Amino acid sequence: MADFIFWVIWALIVASAALVAFGNNLIHSVFALMGTFLGVAGIYIFLNADFLAVTQIVVYVGGILVLLVFGIMLTNKISIAQISQGSIQKGMGLVVVLGIAVIILTAVLPHDWVGSTLPMAFTETVSGIGHLLFTDYLILFEIASVLLLGALIGAATLARKEL
Amino acid sequence: MIKLALFILFLPLLSFVFQIFSFRKFEEKKGEWVSVGIQFITLILSLVMLGMMLSKSDPNFSLELHQSWLDLGLFKIDLGVYIDNITVIMLVLVAIISSLVHLYSTAYMAGDVRYSRYFGFLGIFTFAMNGIVLANSLFMIYIFWELVGLSSYLLIGHWWEKDSAADAGKKAFITNRIGDIGMFTGMLIIVTVLGTFNFQMIAERIHDGVWAANAGMLFGGIDPHKLLTIAGILVFMGAVGKSAQFPLHVWLPDAMEGPTPVSALIHAATMVAAGVYLTVRIFPFLTADAMATIAFIGGFTAIYAATIAITQNDIKKVLAYSTVSQLGYMIMALGTGAYVAGFFHLVTHAMFKGALFLASGSVIHAMHHSMHHLHDHETDPQDMRNMGGLRSKMPITFGVFMVTTAAISGIPLFSGFLSKDAILAGTWTYAANVHDGWLAHLHLAWILPVFGFGAAAITAFYMFRLIFMTFYGEAKKPKIFEHIKESPKVMTIPLIVLAILSMFFMFTLPSLNPLSDHGWFTTVVQSPESAVTTGPAFDLEHFEHGMHEAHVPAMVTSLLVAGLGILFSVLVYLLHKISAEKLAAKLGALYRGSYNKWYMDEFYINGIIRPFLKGCDAVGRFDLDFYDHYFINGWGRNTKRTSKGVGLADDLIVDGAVNFVGIIFQWLGWTLKFIQTGKIQNYLIFVLIGSALLYVVNVF
Amino acid sequence: MDHLSSYLVLSAILFSLGLYTVITRSNAVAILMGVELILNAANINFVAFSKFVTHNLDGHLMSVFIIMLAAAEAAVALAIVLNLYNDRGHINVDEANSLKQ
């Protein structure tokens, strides 16, 4: 049963991503992206990353996606539907991307990734992540907060009207 | 003794340095007396040496001082001093004449434009002459030989504003140099075969047979005796140049352009005697053939110059030719083997010829002053035809002239008689007794006495001619005659001293026999044995034996001959019984030939110098028009063409290559510019392609 | 199938599609969407490795940071896009080529 759902979610993700990539309609692409995000959240659950799954939904779908929608709405003309234009270099891009994909796959698949002999260090991740954030990864945490501050100020500066 | 010699050598050099480097300061303050003083000091030192030598009275006395100068391993040159009796006598001679000339010059050259430099040059001349006298090797003689030639050039050309004086100086030096070529070649032959320049060692080694051993081997199998003859004659060539023998005599008459004291010092008494001195030094290694050649050249010169002197009108020219003739006598004497006689004549000649020149200078000086008084600048003060009757006005000069003329003519009671007599006896002996040498082999040895006695007669003739024309008879230029005065004491004292030295007893003390030359001179100066072992040479015993026999006949003949000459001169010039002009007209061509010096100078100029210059011209033209044009300029033209070609190549190929590189990059840029689309997405594609390639390359 | 390779393949596909979107789309916002896809693919990779290989939470933390960064970046990027729109009246990246030679 779990396998079946896994493959469904797998297919969902791939299909949504394909729609994002190849779709003509921009609004359709945005909503396909939402589908991708939700699918990835599901994958996280399969990977026992409960905290991440929820964070994914909250931040990506609730934050970034909404932002993207705003962006589309604010920057397109009234007739939204056929805004998205295809690009001239589709062919070259396809070739390159296929090449990259092949490379990645050849790098990844043949290997027999050796698993650690340690037992699973977690059953639930929240407390673990919280713990790690404030001990091993403290500096990163602080820097991240500074980064966020910077992004905040930057975005605000960029987007305001010239006085 | 050696210390004295070195002082004598170097003091005149001090005089030279002083005069040359400080003359400005001292010209007003009688700086010339420093030179005079130095010379007199040298004189005193040399007299001391003479005294020392006489006290020993050893004919074989000799001293030598060596100093190694140049040591090149295989080749060594030593400098040194060699003193024997002859050296001492020569030093005294040079000192006497030099100091008297210095004294005389203070009056004669007073007011001259280059007064102090004159004394400086006299100083360097004396230094060089002493150097020749003291030299112990051919090499050293050569060094001072050239120095003496240089001083002669400087002094002859003292008044170089006159073209004739400047030319005469050059002529003297160049003619000397021609002789020196022979001398140097001879020196080189000697040093190649024997390995030394030193006189003593040369004689020793020849005596020990080194010459015979090496000569053939080193010079392609030549007969050693022939080689020795050649070497001897070549070294003698230097003497031919320096002592004005035929054919290199042409410079001496021209050298009269110099001041008269210079003529007295250099061209009568000392420098020209250097050639004779050289012959004296090389005497031990002359072969019979060499000696015959030397005697012939000397004899021919003697009579040749005498024949020219009889027609000359310039008082100094007469004396110049007379000097050439007397030098011929000395050389002839040495050639015949009369060693002592030749050297004796050198010494006596220095005294009386020096006096003759200084006295003639006194006459010229008086003539000059008189003409200056009359503001006459055209008459020639040296021409005897402008003189006459001077004996009343210049008694001392006249007296000296008489004494010395008697000496040179070979009149008894004077020194010249003794020395000339000895020489003539030597020629008589040679003709009669000597059987070696080419002259004897060709049965021509009799020509030497003919030369000798003939020249004696002619000498007596022209010397008395000079006296009669100058001091007797009517004054030819009465106005000039009026203002003639006797010369100042500074000039007449040297004259008197030299006249006294021309008396016979100066050389024959303690003996007072006027007809015999035995005395201190002949005791200390004795002929050396010949060192030659390779073939016929000089046989001392044989010769001396012959001299004893020939002595009296030679004396009688010489007196006869001299008397004839004087008689003829009296007839023509004193008593005017025979007219000189008519005689000259009758002898026509002979007279003109004699007057024009037998056209020697013309022969040299047209026969040798002009063709040589033409040859040089031709070579020059060849060089310029052919060689330069084709090779040098052609080279230039080719270079120009090559460089044009290279330039072209540079433009096309090199610049083309460079430009090509530029064009490539231009094209590259032009094509690659299309990558810069300005679109980010294109750039991203390129990044991806690049990274993919990197990965692929890494893995595989 | 709970095998690592299935997640890795998924991640690869997602990555490629995201890359394709970035390269070929002419709308600036669409490019941003592609970037989000790429980031998500990376996230899946991290977490998958965290579960199957390292057995600790490093991968999860990495993902947390990535999510956070994605958010910040999306904000700033959209601010830029708005500026671009205000300046030119469109956000077609094909026409933003003033650096063209």
Side-chain angles (χ1 to χ4, degrees):
Chain A
M1 189 59 182
D3 280 349
F4 176 70
I5 297 179
F6 173 74
W7 285 115
V8 166
I9 294 180
W10 205 96
L12 171 70
I13 291 176
V14 175
S16 309
L19 189 56
V20 168
F22 301 111
N24 290 325
N25 197 326
L26 198 58
I27 304 293
H28 292 174
S29 298
V30 169
F31 284 104
L33 191 67
M34 186 186 82
T36 314
F37 288 156
L38 289 170
V40 171
I43 293 291
Y44 283 151
I45 292 180
F46 272 103
L47 287 170
N48 296 5
D50 47 357
F51 175 70
L52 267 173
V54 175
T55 311
Q56 167 94 353
I57 294 175
V58 168
V59 171
Y60 265 109
V61 179
I64 292 173
L65 200 68
V66 171
L67 215 51
L68 284 172
V69 171
F70 269 119
I72 291 171
M73 292 306 174
L74 283 173
T75 59
N76 282 316
K77 300 279 180 358
I78 303 300
S79 54
I80 296 175
Q82 273 84 27
I83 298 296
S84 71
Q85 297 151 347
S87 178
I88 310 162
Q89 57 216 6
K90 274 203 188 116
M92 196 154 65
L94 196 63
V95 166
V96 170
V97 165
L98 276 174
I100 298 281
V102 162
I103 286 172
I104 294 175
L105 287 172
T106 50
V108 158
L109 283 178
H111 278 286
D112 202 11
W113 295 98
V114 176
S116 169
T117 51
L118 287 172
M120 287 295 276
F122 57 93
T123 47
E124 45 121 42
T125 61
V126 182
S127 60
I129 288 174
H131 181 77
L132 275 175
L133 261 183
F134 286 98
T135 55
D136 289 343
Y137 294 91
L138 181 61
I139 301 248
L140 274 173
F141 176 68
E142 300 297 340
I143 292 173
S145 55
V146 172
L147 183 86
L148 282 172
L149 178 67
L152 178 68
I153 296 173
T157 314
L158 278 171
R160 72 177 176 181
K161 272 206 205 105
E162 301 303 319
L163 284 169
Chain B
M1 191 85 144
I2 293 198
K3 267 210 206 104
L4 277 176
L6 289 172
F7 264 110
I8 295 174
L9 177 63
F10 285 107
L11 275 174
L13 189 63
L14 195 67
S15 156
F16 165 71
V17 169
F18 173 76
Q19 292 293 351
I20 296 295
F21 291 109
S22 62
F23 68 90
R24 260 181 254 282
K25 279 189 270 175
F26 289 102
E27 212 160 37
E28 314 298 317
K29 298 189 202 161
K30 308 274 180 193
E32 71 274 14
W33 290 100
V34 174
S35 288
V36 179
I38 287 178
Q39 281 311 123
F40 272 100
I41 293 175
T42 332
L43 174 62
I44 294 172
L45 291 176
S46 57
L47 285 173
V48 168
M49 276 183 80
L50 183 68
M52 285 166 74
M53 177 194 85
L54 285 176
S55 67
K56 280 195 224 173
S57 236
D58 172 12
N60 295 320
F61 162 73
S62 74
L63 267 181
E64 193 168 352
L65 171 70
H66 268 308
Q67 178 63 42
S68 172
W69 184 54
L70 197 66
D71 188 343
L72 298 169
L74 291 172
F75 184 66
K76 273 197 283 211
I77 298 180
D78 285 350
L79 292 181
V81 164
Y82 177 73
I83 302 180
D84 72 1
N85 299 333
I86 294 181
T87 315
V88 176
I89 295 175
M90 284 295 292
L91 282 176
V92 172
L93 187 152
V94 171
I96 291 178
I97 308 272
S98 182
S99 16
L100 291 175
V101 163
H102 270 81
L103 188 62
Y104 183 93
S105 302
T106 57
Y108 190 85
M109 300 291 289
D112 186 80
V113 58
R114 279 178 287 275
Y115 192 55
S116 39
R117 248 201 281 167
Y118 172 82
F119 279 97
F121 292 150
L122 281 184
I124 202 175
F125 169 79
T126 316
F127 162 68
M129 191 66 211
N130 283 335
I132 290 184
V133 166
L134 287 167
N136 75 339
S137 65
L138 277 171
F139 190 78
M140 226 182 128
I141 271 204
Y142 193 73
I143 297 174
F144 288 104
W145 197 262
E146 299 302 326
L147 253 180
V148 157
L150 173 73
S151 326
S152 168
Y153 162 80
L154 289 169
L155 285 163
I156 293 173
H158 182 79
W159 292 310
W160 44 258
E161 298 87 3
K162 267 199 297 180
D163 276 341
S164 50
D167 288 342
K170 269 187 281 183
K171 190 174 182 179
F173 195 75
I174 292 174
T175 319
N176 251 221
R177 284 302 280 154
I178 295 176
D180 292 346
I181 296 171
M183 180 171 164
F184 198 65
T185 317
M187 275 167 64
L188 289 177
I189 295 179
I190 291 176
V191 82
T192 313
V193 176
L194 293 176
T196 176
F197 285 117
N198 187 309
F199 288 122
Q200 295 300 95
M201 305 213 45
I202 291 177
E204 248 179 62
R205 289 187 189 179
I206 294 180
H207 193 72
D208 291 340
V210 176
W211 186 278
N214 289 345
M217 172 177 68
L218 291 165
F219 281 89
I222 197 174
D223 173 23
H225 193 70
K226 277 215 183 71
L227 186 67
L228 189 56
T229 312
I230 292 173
I233 294 180
L234 281 173
V235 175
F236 175 67
M237 279 290 124
V240 168
K242 188 70 74 184
S243 293
Q245 299 299 297
F246 183 88
L248 295 175
H249 63 280
V250 288
W251 65 271
L252 192 51
D254 283 30
M256 296 298 117
E257 295 285 341
T260 313
V262 165
S263 306
L265 177 60
I266 298 184
H267 306 125
T270 42
M271 189 182 94
V272 290
V276 181
Y277 182 75
L278 176 71
T279 319
V280 162
R281 283 286 178 232
I282 66 172
F283 189 80
F285 51 89
L286 292 172
T287 62
D289 279 325
M291 287 174 76
T293 317
I294 292 173
F296 185 77
I297 291 178
F300 182 76
T301 308
I303 197 159
Y304 169 86
T307 52
I308 298 178
I310 49 183
T311 55
Q312 298 299 315
N313 288 317
D314 183 326
I315 198 172
K316 283 179 75 173
K317 289 259 168 35
V318 175
L319 291 176
Y321 284 107
S322 160
T323 309
V324 176
S325 175
Q326 297 302 308
L327 288 168
Y329 262 107
M330 297 178 221
I331 299 285
M332 180 168 67
L334 288 170
T336 55
Y339 182 90
V340 179
F343 185 64
F344 194 10
H345 198 63
L346 189 154
V347 181
T348 59
H349 174 266
M351 302 299 161
F352 58 65
K353 198 39 89 39
L356 276 169
F357 266 106
L358 291 180
S360 71
S362 165
V363 170
I364 294 168
H365 189 76
M367 292 281 288
H368 247 300
H369 266 267
S370 165
M371 279 163 50
H372 195 67
H373 210 56
L374 295 171
H375 299 289
D376 178 353
H377 296 288
E378 272 138 35
T379 337
D380 183 2
Q382 298 180 272
D383 195 330
M384 292 192 290
R385 295 171 293 190
N386 295 332
M387 304 176 192
L390 285 177
R391 75 173 183 287
S392 49
K393 290 273 186 170
M394 301 183 76
I396 303 181
T397 311
F398 170 66
V400 169
F401 245 109
M402 275 310 283
V403 169
T404 48
T405 309
I408 197 174
S409 309
I411 295 178
L413 291 182
F414 298 99
S415 60
F417 164 69
L418 294 170
S419 53
K420 202 178 252 198
D421 182 49
I423 293 178
L424 292 172
T427 58
W428 192 292
T429 316
Y430 190 81
N433 288 350
V434 174
H435 304 291
D436 298 318
W438 59 269
L439 271 180
H441 291 155
L442 294 173
H443 299 289
L444 280 176
W446 53 267
I447 206 164
L448 290 179
V450 167
F451 282 159
F453 289 105
I458 301 176
T459 305
F461 173 74
Y462 68 70
M463 285 310 295
F464 274 94
R465 165 178 177 266
L466 190 152
I467 290 209
F468 294 147
M469 277 182 84
T470 311
F471 292 100
Y472 283 82
E474 299 282 320
K476 305 286 185 309
K477 293 265 158 110
K479 275 208 215 95
I480 301 178
F481 180 76
E482 255 185 72
H483 297 279
I484 297 259
K485 283 183 294 187
E486 180 61 86
S487 298
K489 280 217 197 54
V490 194
M491 287 169 72
T492 52
I493 290 181
L495 292 177
I496 298 175
V497 170
L498 288 172
I500 296 176
L501 287 170
S502 304
M503 301 282 192
F504 78 101
F505 52 80
M506 292 308 294
F507 299 95
T508 56
L509 289 172
S511 155
L512 281 170
N513 181 356
L515 295 175
S516 159
D517 60 4
H518 288 291
W520 65 268
F521 194 89
T522 44
T523 317
V524 296
V525 180
Q526 283 182 10
S527 175
E529 297 264 359
S530 172
V532 177
T533 51
T534 54
F538 174 62
D539 186 340
L540 181 61
E541 252 188 79
H542 191 75
F543 188 79
E544 285 198 336
H545 193 70
M547 278 286 268
H548 276 301
E549 290 178 11
H551 200 78
V552 172
M555 195 189 308
V556 169
T557 322
S558 81
L559 283 172
L560 200 67
V561 140
L564 273 175
I566 298 175
L567 183 66
F568 196 58
S569 181
V570 165
L571 283 176
V572 178
Y573 290 102
L574 186 62
L575 303 174
H576 298 288
K577 285 277 160 53
I578 307 177
S579 158
E581 287 86 71
K582 284 213 193 100
L583 206 56
K586 255 213 225 137
L587 291 173
L590 278 179
Y591 174 77
R592 263 174 289 129
S594 161
Y595 190 68
N596 288 312
K597 311 163 271 170
W598 301 113
Y599 301 107
M600 265 317 276
D601 280 325
E602 286 75 20
F603 167 69
Y604 275 139
I605 291 176
N606 291 319
I608 295 179
I609 294 178
R610 282 233 176 88
F612 180 67
L613 287 176
K614 278 218 186 78
C616 291
D617 209 29
V619 174
R621 262 180 290 118
F622 169 76
D623 193 45
L624 209 56
D625 294 337
F626 177 72
Y627 185 71
D628 265 3
H629 183 77
Y630 286 110
F631 292 100
I632 310 292
N633 292 349
W635 192 257
R637 277 194 299 265
N638 277 335
T639 312
K640 240 186 18 185
R641 274 186 228 125
T642 317
S643 50
K644 246 195 230 155
V646 173
L648 220 69
D650 191 45
D651 279 339
L652 292 175
I653 298 172
V654 177
D655 280 357
V658 171
N659 289 348
F660 178 66
V661 172
I663 290 171
I664 284 184
F665 282 110
Q666 229 180 5
W667 174 83
L668 212 60
W670 183 79
T671 39
L672 285 178
K673 149 174 91 170
F674 292 108
I675 298 179
Q676 306 276 35
T677 54
K679 289 200 227 160
I680 299 182
Q681 291 159 318
N682 291 350
Y683 299 162
L684 180 59
I685 291 180
F686 297 134
V687 168
L688 289 170
I689 293 174
S691 49
L693 272 172
L694 269 176
Y695 175 83
V696 165
V697 164
N698 239 354
V699 168
F700 298 116
Chain C
M1 285 211 290
D2 208 14
H3 201 254
L4 176 63
S5 51
S6 37
Y7 296 101
L8 294 182
V9 169
L10 174 65
S11 156
I13 293 171
L14 214 54
F15 181 82
S16 312
L17 287 169
L19 203 55
Y20 184 78
T21 314
V22 169
I23 289 177
T24 52
R25 297 295 229 160
S26 59
N27 194 307
V29 181
I31 294 176
L32 282 169
M33 294 196 292
V35 173
E36 297 307 329
L37 278 178
I38 292 173
L39 288 170
N40 270 297
N43 267 342
I44 295 175
N45 226 332
F46 273 116
V47 178
F49 273 110
S50 164
K51 180 183 175 190
F52 287 101
V53 177
T54 62
H55 288 172
N56 59 12
L57 284 172
D58 288 342
H60 292 175
L61 258 158
M62 205 62 207
S63 295
V64 166
F65 282 117
I66 289 174
I67 291 171
M68 183 194 63
L69 277 168
E73 170 232 342
V76 175
L78 275 167
I80 294 172
V81 167
L82 280 174
N83 263 327
L84 194 65
Y85 180 75
N86 286 339
D87 195 48
R88 286 157 203 244
H90 64 80
I91 49 171
N92 190 342
V93 297
D94 281 344
E95 294 177 31
N97 59 0
S98 1
L99 281 177
K100 180 185 165 113
Q101 286 295 322

